[in-house]
Amino acid sequence: MKYIGKTLFCLIAACMLVIACSDDDNGTDPNDNNNNNNNNNNGSYSNTVTATMNGQSWSSINVLSTYQNNILRPLQITATGPNETDITLFVADAKGTGTFTIDEQLVNVGADFDDINISRDRSGTITINELTNAGAKGTFSFQGVDAADNKTLVVTNGEFDVAF
């Protein structure tokens, strides 16, 4: 039961990615002056996610991130860490830089840490400071509750620096 919310979240995120894909458009239009994305890679990306979870430092071991610069522009970052811990960040329509408030639908998070798998009452923000076709950098903080035992997970000082 503990992993149903996490599985459902990942399934919804994967469906959004499939829906947003287009096989006839690479998502960039050099003539589009309204494109909020910086399509030039102004730096390298370290492919890391770090945070403080319930007061303990956490760093990713492996990061999988995707961004489709199409109609919906979904951004998903899944980072795994030691001892089967993870953080997932999802923004359904990342049109550019800015702060996105977690609403458990179009902007959502997931985390599993110290036997706490947040599956309800998620709140917080994801801030995208840089978004290119090559990668993204930003910050995040959130909290949520494990539905199985009502334990709360608080995630602060989150940073992502990921390549696509």
Side-chain angles (χ1 to χ4, degrees):
M1 183 77 172
K2 185 175 180 180
Y3 297 101
I4 290 176
K6 187 178 193 179
T7 303
L8 182 59
F9 172 72
C10 289
L11 181 61
I12 290 170
C15 288
M16 292 294 290
L17 287 174
V18 170
I19 291 169
C21 291
S22 172
D23 53 344
D24 66 344
D25 184 8
N26 69 4
T28 59
D29 181 357
N31 298 317
D32 182 4
N33 293 327
N34 294 320
N35 187 352
N36 292 329
N37 298 317
N38 178 357
N39 291 320
N40 299 315
N41 185 358
N42 291 329
S44 61
Y45 296 96
S46 62
N47 226 28
T48 58
V49 177
T50 59
T52 302
M53 300 210 291
N54 280 354
Q56 299 179 41
S57 294
W58 182 89
S59 294
S60 61
I61 294 172
N62 189 31
V63 177
L64 174 63
S65 56
T66 58
Y67 174 64
Q68 297 291 324
N69 190 358
N70 292 321
I71 295 170
L72 288 180
R73 298 181 177 118
L75 169 66
Q76 181 169 347
I77 301 167
T78 301
T80 56
N83 303 317
E84 299 180 14
T85 58
D86 62 72
I87 293 176
T88 300
L89 308 171
F90 178 73
V91 179
D93 193 12
K95 292 181 180 176
T97 60
T99 299
F100 301 86
T101 301
I102 295 164
D103 63 8
E104 294 189 345
Q105 294 175 19
L106 297 178
V107 179
N108 208 348
V109 294
D112 192 353
F113 181 77
D114 200 22
D115 292 327
I116 302 172
N117 178 3
I118 64 168
S119 54
R120 65 178 176 86
D121 300 333
R122 292 171 283 228
S123 62
T125 59
I126 300 170
T127 300
I128 301 172
N129 297 321
E130 180 179 322
L131 179 61
T132 71
N133 288 332
K137 295 180 182 182
T139 61
F140 59 91
S141 63
F142 61 87
Q143 67 180 28
V145 176
D146 187 325
D149 56 17
N150 289 322
K151 290 182 181 177
T152 299
L153 177 62
V154 178
V155 179
T156 58
N157 304 315
E159 295 184 13
F160 59 90
D161 183 342
V162 298
F164 304 133

